Amino acid sequence: MTAATQPAARPAGGPTAHERPGFTRLMVAEWTKIRTVRSTLWSLILLVVLSIGFTALFVGLTAGTWKDMDAGDRAQVAADPVSFILGSGFFLSQLTVCVLGVLVIASEYSTGMIRASLLAVPRRLPMLWAKALVFAIIVLVIGVAVSFASYFIGVAIMGDKVHVSLGDDGVLRAVLGGGLYLAMLGLFALAVGAIVRHPAGGITGVIGFVLVLAPLAQLLPGSIGDHVHAYLPSEAGVLIAKAHQGEDDLLTPWQGYGVFALWTAALLAVGAYLLKRRDA
């Protein structure tokens, strides 16, 4: 065989055409795709700003009007101040996670980038798992940081009106739970995006689950409405960010988070099945 007809030598450490990229390389690739998209950076910045901003705003308004509040309202805040503080910021800021979770995968379909991704990873599912894991880690880290920042800001604003410490029963779990809730919500949104494959449709579906279904479920009569409402994904999952189980809560914090995880796992399974069955 002459030099002209000999196959080119494979670069040291480089994969051959028949080698599949390892899962670590897939995670690096997904991390590169996520961090180089401007919408990701701005969505995460918006998450931080809205969470801390609304926490300071609502907790500040409550502290400023504390003496004028009804005794029942003050008792409700004092019963679980951590839930009140975290809920003040997360109620609206969680929408940024919903939007970002859908865009992480649905935007690849809208731009056609998914074809390149699937060409590099023909088996498809490792790409989905790598994307989900990288995105969950990002949201978890930022969510926990924002949760702690909101907690300390809220406690400082409330001052001596309520007494709460990280060492109190359930408080540390609730603050960490704020980040856990956002991470699971991000995976939930990503799963919906994988199923719908259209950014607008996916975002509408996730927001419908988070904000619309809960009020509608409460309109159902009797215990049926109570149970449907309690087992909705976001309503069950947010219990992990409560320091204490409420009198009307049908699930404990960890049970609620488990229900949310089951919802997310089921949707991810559907998304994985459709990813294998449908064309890009």
Side-chain angles (χ1 to χ4, degrees):
M1 181 181 293
T2 65
T5 60
Q6 289 180 349
R10 178 168 63 95
T16 65
H18 300 288
E19 289 180 343
R20 299 189 182 96
F23 193 74
T24 301
R25 288 187 178 180
L26 290 179
M27 291 185 63
V28 172
E30 293 300 331
W31 161 247
T32 302
K33 286 193 288 185
I34 290 176
R35 70 180 176 84
T36 54
V37 177
R38 287 186 178 181
S39 61
T40 302
L41 176 62
W42 286 110
S43 296
L44 294 176
I45 291 175
L46 192 61
L47 168 63
V48 175
V49 172
L50 289 179
S51 296
I52 296 177
F54 277 110
T55 296
L57 175 62
F58 289 127
V59 175
L61 290 174
T62 300
T65 59
W66 186 258
K67 294 182 179 179
D68 299 326
M69 292 173 59
D70 294 335
D73 293 335
R74 289 199 299 267
Q76 185 177 5
V77 173
D80 194 349
V82 178
S83 175
F84 165 71
I85 291 171
L86 297 182
S88 300
F90 279 167
F91 179 72
L92 292 177
S93 63
Q94 65 181 339
L95 297 182
T96 63
V97 177
C98 295
V99 172
L100 184 56
V102 172
L103 291 180
V104 162
I105 188 165
S107 62
E108 290 200 36
Y109 283 99
S110 63
T111 61
M113 186 185 295
I114 191 67
R115 297 186 183 91
S117 298
L118 296 181
L119 185 63
V121 191
R123 293 178 60 190
R124 297 193 175 197
L125 292 189
M127 180 272 295
L128 178 62
W129 306 141
K131 186 185 296 291
L133 182 57
V134 170
F135 181 62
I137 291 173
I138 293 173
V139 178
L140 177 62
V141 171
I142 295 178
V144 169
V146 168
S147 187
F148 271 96
S150 299
Y151 167 78
F152 287 118
I153 290 172
V155 170
I157 293 175
M158 291 301 293
D160 59 354
K161 296 175 179 63
V162 295
H163 300 281
V164 61
S165 170
L166 283 176
D168 293 343
D169 184 36
V171 173
L172 181 59
R173 188 260 306 147
V175 178
L176 290 172
L180 290 172
Y181 169 71
L182 290 180
M184 189 63 69
L185 181 64
L187 285 177
F188 182 87
L190 186 147
V192 174
I195 294 171
V196 179
R197 304 204 302 182
H198 297 285
I203 292 170
T204 302
V206 174
I207 292 178
F209 264 105
V210 174
L211 295 182
V212 178
L213 283 184
L216 292 178
Q218 289 180 318
L219 299 177
L220 296 174
S223 62
I224 296 177
D226 294 337
H227 281 80
V228 171
H229 180 267
Y231 283 87
L232 289 175
S234 59
E235 295 301 314
V238 78
L239 295 178
I240 196 66
K242 289 186 175 183
H244 308 291
Q245 184 177 2
E247 295 181 359
D248 298 329
D249 294 336
L250 300 181
L251 302 171
T252 66
W254 284 113
Q255 287 174 342
Y257 195 70
V259 169
F260 195 14
L262 288 176
W263 273 94
T264 303
L267 290 181
L268 280 174
V270 174
Y273 174 79
L274 294 177
L275 181 63
K276 292 191 67 175
R277 299 287 296 179
R278 296 188 298 197
D279 294 331

